[in-house]
Amino acid sequence: MLATTDMGWARGLAERMSPIEDIRLVRILGPEDLAGFLASRERAVMLLDISSPALLEGWLSMQGSLPPVVAFADRTETPLVRAAMKMGAVDFLGKDCSLRDVSEAIYHASSRLEASPELKAQPGDVHGKLVTVASLRGGSGRSTVACNLALALGRRSAKPAALWDLNFSLGMVDVLLDVVAPRPFSDLVAQLGQMDPELFSTFFARHRSGTFVLPAPRATGSQMVELTPTHLQALITAARATFPLTVVDTSATFSELDFLAVQSADLVLLTITPDLGSIRAAVAYLDLIAANHVVKSKNVVVLNAWTRGELSRRHVQETLSLPIWGEVPYERTLFNRAFNTAEPVVLGRPGSRSGKAFFRLADRILSMRSS
């Protein structure tokens, strides 16, 4: 929900975010409207105009009781910026800001909303689900699929999903989302013995979409973290107890840890690009999991960067004997921009063919979870 004093900006924002979600807009004309809205105890981000001294005085009188606020004004003056800071505003926007600036500020503010009580598994509840993205082929788009899927799951379910980068050598999740781990990964491993959901979540960066992100550690040499299968199993248990949905990005090396992430998953997304090398890598993957008695039926295919006419869906299905759950089209310019700006397609271009493909995939996963 977005409570705002400017319906023009809000309507433009709602159109930009479509079809991610149906945004409910609430107009706030003054402090009395705001007081009534706060009394309803509905969760929302506030987009408040502080240009008028009368309005500003009213907003300041409610300091401490406001939800996350993005303040804006028709001019950029030091007293107004200070007033925004005094209100505890997450961001301040001047008259020359773009709709994209507003969108980014709203996303940032939304991450400050208190986590939903449904975020953490409660005693007696079904434990959180683990979705692992895998491929033995480098360049198959595992990280791109994992990032966009995690964000789409959070938007579709209205509950933050978690994203975990298990590619310790060449992990790209932190680059694709422009996040930094808030605490050292070595501390996470060291505290596994006393881990609980509240402590576990503090090791995850909070992306502006609300997604919880655990980047791969960047340490080298003596600072490298040795993660054993026992450690990883404890981390998976913690993830299930903390988040409703966790997406795990693996590496092409398919190490012992990658295998454990596949073995422990409720669903495995096997990413395939339209070339024979990718198909052969998928066959090798299936042979590997069969030899280690991993259930094949929990594996599904995601066709990534797919170009019609090169390899057919029928050929893939007949070769692998796996269902195809998603087909992300080849849109090179779109994904290059997403990479260079650290704005995944589901945020920057949700209405594009690729954006819609990720949301369809998220919907299918969520329907599986609810059933």
Side-chain angles (χ1 to χ4, degrees):
M1 181 186 298
L2 182 62
T4 178
T5 52
D6 189 304
M7 296 300 283
W9 259 354
R11 288 196 183 97
L13 181 65
E15 291 172 1
R16 185 177 190 272
M17 294 175 69
S18 179
I20 299 178
E21 58 186 339
D22 181 19
I23 299 176
R24 180 181 165 198
L25 304 177
V26 177
R27 188 166 193 174
I28 306 293
L29 296 177
E32 290 184 3
D33 288 339
L34 180 56
F37 177 76
L38 293 177
S40 72
R41 302 182 65 83
E42 295 197 70
R43 298 171 72 248
V45 171
M46 312 295 297
L47 182 61
L48 298 181
D49 184 0
I50 62 173
S51 303
S52 163
L55 283 178
L56 179 56
E57 183 179 353
W59 304 147
L60 289 174
S61 70
M62 297 181 182
Q63 180 183 351
S65 61
L66 295 175
V69 170
V70 174
F72 69 93
D74 57 9
R75 57 195 184 280
T76 305
E77 298 175 353
T78 301
L80 289 176
V81 176
R82 287 177 177 170
M85 294 173 63
K86 188 175 180 180
M87 291 170 60
V90 175
D91 208 338
F92 175 81
L93 302 171
K95 63 178 181 180
D96 295 327
C97 69
S98 65
L99 187 57
R100 179 178 176 181
D101 294 329
V102 182
S103 175
E104 290 181 351
I106 295 297
Y107 276 125
H108 185 204
S110 67
S111 70
R112 301 288 185 91
L113 288 170
E114 291 185 6
S116 165
E118 298 176 312
L119 172 62
K120 298 174 183 178
Q122 302 298 323
D125 286 352
V126 177
H127 65 194
K129 300 298 183 183
L130 195 73
V131 178
T132 297
V133 183
S135 174
L136 299 185
R137 177 74 181 271
S140 66
R142 286 183 314 277
S143 297
T144 297
V145 170
C147 288
N148 280 279
L149 175 61
L151 271 59
L153 286 169
R155 305 306 298 180
R156 285 300 206 210
S157 65
K159 302 174 185 177
L163 174 61
W164 181 3
D165 193 347
L166 200 57
N167 188 348
F168 281 19
S169 57
L170 296 171
M172 292 295 292
V173 165
D174 56 341
V175 176
L176 292 173
L177 297 181
D178 190 25
V179 296
V180 178
R183 303 179 63 182
F185 196 90
S186 56
D187 288 356
L188 172 58
V189 175
Q191 297 182 55
L192 279 176
Q194 58 263 27
M195 195 59 63
D196 59 44
E198 184 175 356
L199 176 61
F200 186 60
S201 63
T202 65
F203 288 91
F204 285 70
R206 196 74 186 270
H207 184 256
R208 62 185 176 85
S209 65
T211 305
F212 289 83
V213 183
L214 184 62
R218 291 294 182 186
T220 58
S222 62
Q223 300 296 317
M224 289 187 67
V225 179
E226 181 180 358
L227 190 69
T228 67
T230 301
H231 290 149
L232 181 57
Q233 191 59 66
L235 291 172
I236 290 173
T237 300
R240 289 189 185 279
T242 307
F243 305 109
L245 282 163
T246 300
V247 178
V248 180
D249 183 19
T250 59
S251 71
T253 60
F254 211 67
S255 66
E256 189 176 11
L257 299 180
D258 295 317
F259 175 76
L260 182 56
V262 166
Q263 187 179 45
S264 304
D266 298 284
L267 179 71
V268 180
L269 304 180
L270 184 58
T271 58
I272 295 176
T273 50
D275 59 87
L276 289 177
S278 186
I279 299 294
R280 289 176 180 172
V283 171
Y285 163 83
L286 293 175
D287 289 342
L288 183 60
I289 65 170
N292 287 277
H293 311 290
V294 175
V295 179
K296 182 180 179 179
S297 60
K298 69 178 181 180
N299 291 265
V300 299
V301 171
V302 174
L303 305 175
N304 188 43
W306 204 253
T307 304
R308 301 276 180 161
E310 296 192 18
L311 286 177
S312 67
R313 291 171 59 100
R314 181 178 177 181
H315 176 77
V316 174
Q317 286 180 309
E318 290 179 350
T319 303
L320 304 180
S321 298
L322 289 177
I324 295 174
W325 272 32
E327 180 177 328
V328 181
Y330 180 66
E331 295 183 288
R332 180 177 179 179
T333 302
L334 188 67
F335 282 99
N336 281 346
R337 180 186 180 281
F339 182 86
N340 291 329
T341 61
E343 185 176 53
V345 169
V346 295
L347 294 186
R349 292 288 300 279
S352 65
R353 290 187 300 146
S354 296
K356 291 178 180 178
F358 285 121
F359 283 113
R360 284 193 295 269
L361 178 59
D363 289 339
R364 188 159 189 177
I365 291 172
L366 290 170
S367 65
M368 175 197 75
R369 181 172 178 263
S370 62
S371 63

